[in-house]
Amino acid sequence: MDYLETLNPAQRAAVEQIDGPVLIVAGAGSGKTRVLTYRIVHMLKHDVDPFQILSLTFTNKAAKEMRHRVSQAVGPEAKNLWMGTFHSIFSRILRSESEKIGYPRNFTIYDSDDSKSLIKTIVNELKLDDKLYKPAAMLGRISAAKNALITAEEYLMNEEFNDQDTSSGRPKFAVIFKTYQDRCFRAGAMDFDDLLVNTYKLFANHLDVLNKYQHLFRYIMVDEFQDTNHAQYMIIKKLSAVHQNIAVVGDDAQSIYAFRGANIKNILGFQRDFPDVKTFKLEQNYRSTQNIVDAASSIIERNKDQIKKNVWTDNEKGDRIKVIKALTDNEEGKMVASSIFQEKMNSHVRNMDFAILYRTNAQSRAIEEALRKMNIPYKIYGGMSFYQRKEIKDLLSYYRVVLNPRDEEALKRIINYPTRGIGKTTMEKITIIADHNKVSLWEVMENIGQFGLKGVGVIEDFVTMIKSFQTKLEQNAYDVAFHIAKQSGVLKNLYEDKTVEGIARYENIEELLSGIKEFSVEETADEDGVLRPNRLADFMANVALLTNDDNNKNEDQDHVSLMTIHSAKGLEFPNVYVVGLEENLFPSQLSLNSRQELEEERRLFYVALTRAMKKLTLTFATSRFKFGQIIHSEPSRFLQEIDPQFLSFESLFSARGPQQESRPSPAGKTLSGLPKKVLQPAAKPSLPQKSASPAAANEEEFIGDDTSGLEAGMRVRHQRFGEGNVLSVEGSGDNKKSTIEFASHGKKILVLKFAKLKIMN
């Protein structure tokens, strides 16, 4: 079948428009990957050279999937595409051109642990308070500056930035930033943000290099464009300036990474930078039921900053979205576990058909406990990566030092592992000499005999060992990797540890070496286009650029998936539970300072809803443990914002198991009314009072009357809104609602199943 015949009209139009600037607004579940894939296929079938196509993604997983789909359609030509993450593509460019900006070709890429370790060292050297200058916070501010293309030198000279730091009690931040950048350069290392900043610098300061890549990349495609930051966008603009054949694909409604520097203005203002842009909207949702699609649309339409679209689906209408209230976070966990258990029994579905999404990682505790008690297997996504484990980082640090001896973070990690008699005092002396002479630790160690230090023999032996490893770097990746693991003593050290933990660490090293062996049988083209076996440098460049979603193992195991909503973006599940829908939790209390922040939280909620294919359940608790105390909470404003026709207010699940279908609740046990506080920042919570068990709190609740006979003209009293007149009552069952004019709060539409009202007459 012709690939174009498999596309709907909007998809086909986007695929066929291969020239000029193109904006493809792809709603949730609209077949975005299919469009991206076939767009490349269409180019190749119209004689576009694959070497001239640059396709940028945000994860290696996405790039791998897309390349696989293209190769199925066109064959081996797919291997010639420039396809990968921003960081992997820019790293590839920098490894060819890095010497022009003063870096070695085998520069090291620091991960966040390396960067935080270096910052911690700098803070200690400057004798600053490490509680005030926390490495993670310092790295976050450095990253924000780099993403905005602000260099350490520019930051240091900027009075406004320095005034901000002084007022925040961290006047030495600029010095930390500058020292950090100098140390990275001296170590021949770049962090992830440097891969962007240095690519931009390379193009800005070396027009011959920019011209080379502008003509190489005749066609540019960018996936998840709403997630790009300022630096990424500026590089893309430079690269596309000659041919203007740039296609960006994304959904402004799913822009949820502002905390990482993502700038929604890139997609909202794309037409301003490319006035000839042709815009295509993919509005048909193939993933979710009509109820879920319509409910999500009723939420996101409230945002002011957006590209208007009408997302729709031909799928079945489906069940209403369940909304369930719990008294505590622990009961919420039991409810969710019980619901999953019953759904599995009733519908004969697998654990992997379920996902539980939450706003913060801390919420997983109660969920995990409940799942364990019911013997439901689960997996938390976004946890520690395989490559972040200590034993793996230790051996990888050996490989880093062999490739780049100037890499000081890796060097400090392995200098006395396994123990070889190079102590802390010796390293402190070497560090002082290196700082005084403005050279790397390695340069001091290479010439250790000249500095009058005692006991230099062990240093000389270490240097000799590393240099002997370097003579083997032209061999295939596995041979040299195994040789280093063995001759360094790492394998022997781990093998001799017969504890359960020690055996696990040794098995992890075996797994790493097996991965390198698998990698080494593949081939890489050198600069002249000649194929050669993969080397250790190729493997290390690949490992350094892995994204979190690439490290999940045992994907075939049957388990319930637990993750933050941010981690769930791009995924889909038949059954989804979104938990913790309470004010100050979701939306987060930290995101209520401006309309822009609240709109990002609403987009995050939209992403959560649109992960569900068949069934969606929303839960909230009226009290939650925080820091050992009970904090009382109220339902999230987002629940109020969903059109009630798409909701079903279910009976509670208690620890005893599922109850019968919902029926009028006994006095004192009704669901509390949902607050309508759209765009109003929530007040800061007062300090929790002592005592207040959930049961006691429940007894003190405002007790409403039976509203089944409520009619227009009646007078009622609401706990929050006070007294008011009933203007109308419409709907039936769970969706019965009333319009009430309150004297002090104006007109409100309340869902009677949810509202608590006292009837005055």
Side-chain angles (χ1 to χ4, degrees):
M1 179 187 292
D2 183 356
Y3 62 94
L4 293 175
E5 297 300 320
T6 66
L7 303 171
N8 67 38
Q11 291 173 332
R12 179 165 182 162
V15 165
E16 292 181 317
Q17 183 63 48
I18 62 175
D19 293 318
V22 172
L23 170 62
I24 303 173
V25 183
S30 62
K32 174 189 63 143
T33 304
R34 172 186 290 255
V35 170
L36 286 168
T37 301
Y38 285 154
R39 202 168 186 278
I40 294 173
V41 171
H42 196 66
M43 289 181 194
L44 297 178
K45 289 187 178 294
H46 284 74
D47 299 324
V48 174
D49 185 342
F51 286 100
Q52 292 189 319
I53 299 175
L54 170 62
S55 178
L56 295 166
T57 65
F58 272 83
T59 68
N60 291 309
K61 184 178 179 182
K64 186 176 180 180
E65 179 185 354
M66 204 180 307
R67 191 186 296 274
H68 175 70
R69 292 194 188 188
V70 174
S71 66
Q72 285 184 318
V74 300
E77 283 286 86
K79 292 183 177 180
N80 299 327
L81 297 163
W82 281 72
M83 181 180 286
T85 65
F86 282 89
H87 293 94
S88 66
I89 294 295
F90 295 163
S91 170
R92 182 176 169 186
I93 292 172
L94 286 170
R95 292 206 184 273
S96 295
E97 315 287 350
S98 58
E99 291 170 351
K100 291 183 174 64
I101 55 174
Y103 284 85
R105 288 203 171 191
N106 278 338
F107 61 82
T108 299
I109 299 175
Y110 277 178
D111 63 18
S112 61
D113 286 346
D114 297 319
S115 295
K116 284 184 277 192
S117 174
L118 175 55
I119 291 171
K120 185 177 181 181
T121 299
I122 293 168
V123 168
N124 289 337
E125 289 175 357
L126 294 174
K127 295 181 171 53
L128 299 172
D129 184 351
D130 59 2
K131 292 183 176 61
L132 193 58
Y133 293 92
K134 293 180 179 178
M138 296 301 96
L139 181 59
R141 190 155 175 80
I142 289 171
S143 177
K146 289 182 178 180
N147 286 335
L149 295 176
I150 299 168
T151 66
E153 292 80 6
E154 290 168 339
Y155 194 104
L156 193 62
M157 301 300 292
N158 189 297
E159 289 185 15
E160 183 181 348
F161 294 153
N162 286 296
D163 288 344
Q164 289 175 7
D165 293 332
T166 300
S167 64
S168 70
R170 300 178 183 86
K172 295 293 184 182
F173 170 75
V175 177
I176 294 172
F177 185 5
K178 181 66 166 63
T179 308
Y180 169 81
Q181 209 54 41
D182 290 344
R183 292 282 180 85
C184 285
F185 184 76
R186 191 172 81 184
M190 301 185 198
D191 61 23
F192 260 47
D193 297 312
D194 287 329
L195 295 177
L196 306 179
V197 173
N198 287 334
T199 300
Y200 180 81
K201 283 183 183 176
L202 178 70
F203 291 159
N205 300 330
H206 298 272
L207 296 182
D208 57 327
V209 178
L210 173 61
N211 185 61
K212 169 184 170 182
Y213 288 100
Q214 282 176 332
H215 285 84
L216 174 60
F217 302 136
R218 185 179 163 199
Y219 291 91
I220 299 174
M221 287 174 54
V222 184
D223 190 14
E224 303 288 6
F225 185 63
Q226 76 280 349
D227 294 335
T228 53
N229 60 36
H230 178 66
Q232 289 165 328
Y233 187 36
M234 293 304 292
I235 295 170
I236 295 164
K237 281 178 67 177
K238 281 184 176 296
L239 284 174
S240 61
V242 172
H243 296 292
Q244 294 269 307
N245 296 326
I246 177 170
V248 298
V249 185
D251 182 6
D252 57 291
Q254 298 184 65
S255 179
I256 59 173
Y257 293 120
F259 68 96
R260 292 184 190 168
N263 190 347
I264 192 173
K265 292 180 181 177
N266 291 346
I267 190 168
L268 295 179
F270 187 73
Q271 187 169 4
R272 183 176 58 251
D273 291 331
F274 295 90
D276 296 331
V277 66
K278 290 183 171 59
T279 301
F280 302 92
K281 295 181 180 180
L282 310 183
E283 297 173 311
Q284 183 175 359
N285 181 298
Y286 292 93
R287 174 188 298 153
S288 306
T289 63
Q290 290 179 24
N291 261 312
I292 293 171
V293 168
D294 292 342
S297 296
S298 75
I299 282 285
I300 203 62
E301 69 183 9
R302 293 174 177 266
N303 274 8
K304 180 179 177 182
D305 293 336
Q306 63 171 299
I307 299 171
K308 291 292 185 181
K309 50 190 169 295
N310 178 33
V311 179
W312 58 279
T313 184
D314 271 341
N315 293 343
E316 63 182 344
K317 188 171 183 62
D319 295 341
R320 287 178 180 168
I321 298 169
K322 295 179 184 177
V323 179
I324 306 178
K325 164 190 171 185
L327 293 178
T328 68
D329 49 350
N330 285 332
E331 185 180 69
E332 181 183 46
K334 293 170 186 173
M335 288 164 32
V336 170
S338 296
S339 176
I340 290 174
F341 182 83
Q342 179 143 331
E343 184 67 27
K344 284 173 60 183
M345 295 301 101
N346 293 344
S347 304
H348 305 290
V349 290
R350 303 163 298 174
N351 292 310
M352 66 174 60
D353 292 329
F354 296 88
I356 303 170
L357 311 182
Y358 33 77
R359 180 64 180 84
T360 66
N361 279 305
Q363 292 171 253
S364 74
R365 180 200 58 79
I367 304 292
E368 289 184 73
E369 288 182 7
L371 292 172
R372 280 198 299 267
K373 286 177 181 176
M374 298 201 71
N375 294 316
I376 298 175
Y378 66 89
K379 177 177 179 180
I380 295 180
Y381 285 73
M384 180 179 286
S385 154
F386 175 78
Y387 292 101
Q388 294 298 320
R389 292 169 182 164
K390 180 186 181 302
E391 62 276 11
I392 300 299
K393 292 204 75 170
D394 288 340
L395 186 51
L396 292 180
S397 291
Y398 266 99
Y399 299 158
R400 283 168 52 174
V401 170
V402 173
L403 289 164
N404 174 21
R406 288 164 50 186
D407 182 346
E408 295 188 359
E409 289 307 305
L411 183 62
K412 287 187 289 186
R413 190 178 186 106
I414 66 165
I415 190 69
N416 200 37
Y417 173 74
T419 305
R420 55 176 59 90
I422 304 176
K424 183 179 179 182
T425 303
T426 301
M427 287 307 298
E428 286 176 348
K429 291 177 180 177
I430 292 173
T431 301
I432 291 170
I433 294 169
D435 287 344
H436 179 74
N437 291 278
K438 297 286 190 277
V439 295
S440 67
L441 300 181
W442 177 256
E443 289 174 272
V444 175
M445 293 169 65
E446 272 191 307
N447 304 283
I448 195 70
Q450 300 176 16
F451 296 102
L453 296 179
K454 295 180 181 179
V456 298
V458 287
I459 296 290
E460 292 173 336
D461 290 345
F462 178 79
V463 170
T464 300
M465 178 181 71
I466 296 299
K467 287 185 174 180
S468 73
F469 294 158
Q470 289 176 329
T471 65
K472 300 183 180 297
L473 285 175
E474 296 303 306
Q475 297 179 8
N476 77 63
Y478 176 74
D479 290 344
V480 65
F482 182 79
H483 177 79
I484 294 171
K486 183 178 179 182
Q487 296 303 319
S488 65
V490 170
L491 276 182
K492 182 174 183 291
N493 180 268
L494 291 173
Y495 183 75
E496 290 174 347
D497 184 353
K498 298 301 183 183
T499 64
V500 174
E501 295 79 10
I503 293 170
R505 285 193 286 268
Y506 185 80
E507 289 173 345
N508 285 336
I509 291 294
E510 285 185 319
E511 177 70 21
L512 173 65
L513 291 170
S514 296
I516 298 175
K517 189 173 184 68
E518 186 178 338
F519 179 83
S520 68
V521 301
E522 299 176 0
E523 294 181 315
T524 295
D526 61 22
E527 290 186 5
D528 298 320
V530 179
L531 290 175
R532 57 165 176 76
N534 276 334
R535 296 173 184 157
L536 186 62
D538 303 314
F539 176 79
M540 291 303 293
N542 187 57
V543 165
L545 294 163
L546 286 175
T547 50
N548 285 336
D549 69 321
D550 302 310
N551 299 321
N552 292 321
K553 303 178 76 67
N554 302 320
E555 292 294 332
D556 56 339
Q557 290 187 358
D558 188 27
H559 54 250
V560 174
S561 298
L562 274 64
M563 65 190 80
T564 64
I565 302 166
H566 283 100
S567 299
K569 187 165 173 291
L571 303 178
E572 60 183 32
F573 302 90
N575 301 271
V576 170
Y577 293 79
V578 185
V579 300
L581 279 163
E582 298 137 37
E583 282 294 300
N584 298 323
L585 179 56
F586 195 15
S588 166
Q589 186 176 7
L590 300 175
S591 302
L592 299 175
N593 299 314
S594 68
R595 180 176 58 79
Q596 287 79 12
E597 290 178 347
L598 180 59
E599 289 199 354
E600 173 131 342
E601 286 289 290
R602 191 176 286 112
R603 291 194 294 268
L604 189 61
F605 186 48
Y606 176 81
V607 167
L609 300 190
T610 55
R611 298 313 92 199
M613 301 165 68
K614 298 291 185 184
K615 295 185 178 181
L616 176 61
T617 302
L618 310 177
T619 71
F620 67 96
T622 58
S623 65
R624 190 171 291 273
F625 268 99
K626 290 183 181 178
F627 305 109
Q629 292 182 305
I630 292 177
I631 305 295
H632 297 290
S633 50
E634 57 186 33
S636 167
R637 69 188 71 190
F638 294 153
L639 287 172
Q640 178 71 45
E641 292 177 358
I642 300 177
D643 190 318
Q645 67 175 302
F646 307 121
L647 301 178
S648 170
F649 304 107
E650 296 293 306
S651 59
L652 300 186
F653 286 97
S654 70
R656 295 185 299 276
Q659 297 176 357
Q660 297 300 312
E661 186 66 343
S662 59
R663 54 171 63 98
S665 303
K669 301 293 184 181
T670 56
L671 296 176
S672 59
L674 290 175
K676 189 170 185 180
K677 298 165 65 178
V678 181
L679 303 182
Q680 296 178 9
K684 291 184 178 179
S686 58
L687 291 173
Q689 302 297 313
K690 274 190 175 181
S691 107
S693 69
N698 196 56
E699 290 170 1
E700 298 168 3
E701 283 185 353
F702 179 89
I703 300 174
D705 295 330
D706 179 5
T707 56
S708 59
L710 193 70
E711 296 177 353
M714 287 185 172
R715 189 161 180 80
V716 296
R717 181 157 60 87
H718 185 274
Q719 184 179 19
R720 169 170 298 168
F721 304 137
E723 294 188 8
N725 295 316
V726 178
L727 301 181
S728 65
V729 179
E730 54 191 59
S732 60
D734 289 345
N735 295 308
K736 191 173 184 180
K737 55 189 178 183
S738 174
T739 302
I740 304 173
E741 182 80 43
F742 291 99
S744 55
H745 287 80
K747 192 180 296 183
K748 303 287 181 184
I749 300 176
L750 300 180
V751 179
L752 295 182
K753 178 71 178 177
F754 234 49
K756 287 190 296 185
L757 298 170
K758 278 190 176 294
I759 299 175
M760 311 295 292
N761 59 355

